[in-house]
Amino acid sequence: MTKRYANLALVYAIIAMVFGVFYREFTKFQHFSGQTNLSVMHTHYFLLGMFFFLVLMFAEKTFSFSDKSTGRLLIFYQLGLNITGIGFLMRGLTQVWGTELSKGMDASISGIAGIGHILTGVCIILLLLKIKKQVN
């Protein structure tokens, strides 16, 4: 499992860097200088992707907490993280392009990011409980 965590950390580090470059170059190309949600994608993927899986790698090495259900939990975690990323991407693109959103569309984009955050948060708590159980 530690190798899997290390591989996922590498994948999310690459994704984070890609979004950092995309944010910088896309806003420059569009001559946009305001605030946009594209700027937080880079840090979300570094922290909730790369850093999170590095921490899990060290926790697995120390406590050996992973079991059969951990894989399913990580799938839901990654779904949550990437759903959040899609919400940020949609919101950021509309901000850069200056797109007027209806109330329904605005709420939909917020809802997508919210569902992703909830999934991610619940999975973090469940993983921490797994680790805590193994520590005891």
Side-chain angles (χ1 to χ4, degrees):
M1 249 343 219
T2 55
K3 187 174 181 175
R4 178 191 240 183
Y5 295 143
N7 288 337
L8 286 168
L10 178 62
V11 166
Y12 281 109
I14 292 167
I15 291 170
M17 288 185 247
V18 166
F19 278 125
V21 170
F22 173 75
Y23 159 67
R24 182 168 173 243
E25 296 304 317
F26 181 70
T27 54
K28 189 186 329 177
F29 181 75
Q30 295 288 324
H31 305 290
F32 182 82
S33 60
Q35 291 288 97
T36 175
N37 281 25
L38 293 176
S39 67
V40 298
M41 292 182 71
H42 176 70
T43 52
H44 269 72
Y45 275 98
F46 263 130
L47 288 174
L48 293 174
M50 182 200 74
F51 186 74
F52 179 78
F53 283 108
L54 284 176
V55 169
L56 282 185
M57 181 183 70
F58 291 122
E60 178 64 27
K61 196 86 165 150
T62 305
F63 304 117
S64 299
F65 68 92
S66 296
D67 58 17
K68 291 180 184 177
S69 66
T70 308
R72 286 190 303 268
L73 197 55
L74 292 176
I75 288 170
F76 282 107
Y77 176 82
Q78 292 179 79
L79 277 172
L81 175 57
N82 290 297
I83 289 170
T84 300
I86 289 168
F88 283 143
L89 182 64
M90 291 187 322
R91 173 75 65 200
L93 291 175
T94 59
Q95 289 167 334
V96 171
W97 289 329
T99 306
E100 287 278 335
L101 297 175
S102 67
K103 286 185 180 183
M105 186 58 77
D106 185 55
S108 296
I109 294 173
S110 295
I112 289 168
I115 288 168
H117 275 95
I118 290 167
L119 259 175
T120 305
V122 167
C123 290
I124 287 172
I125 297 299
L126 292 174
L127 282 166
L128 287 172
L129 289 172
K130 274 181 153 311
I131 295 168
K132 182 179 184 265
K133 182 180 177 184
Q134 193 63 29
V135 170
N136 291 337

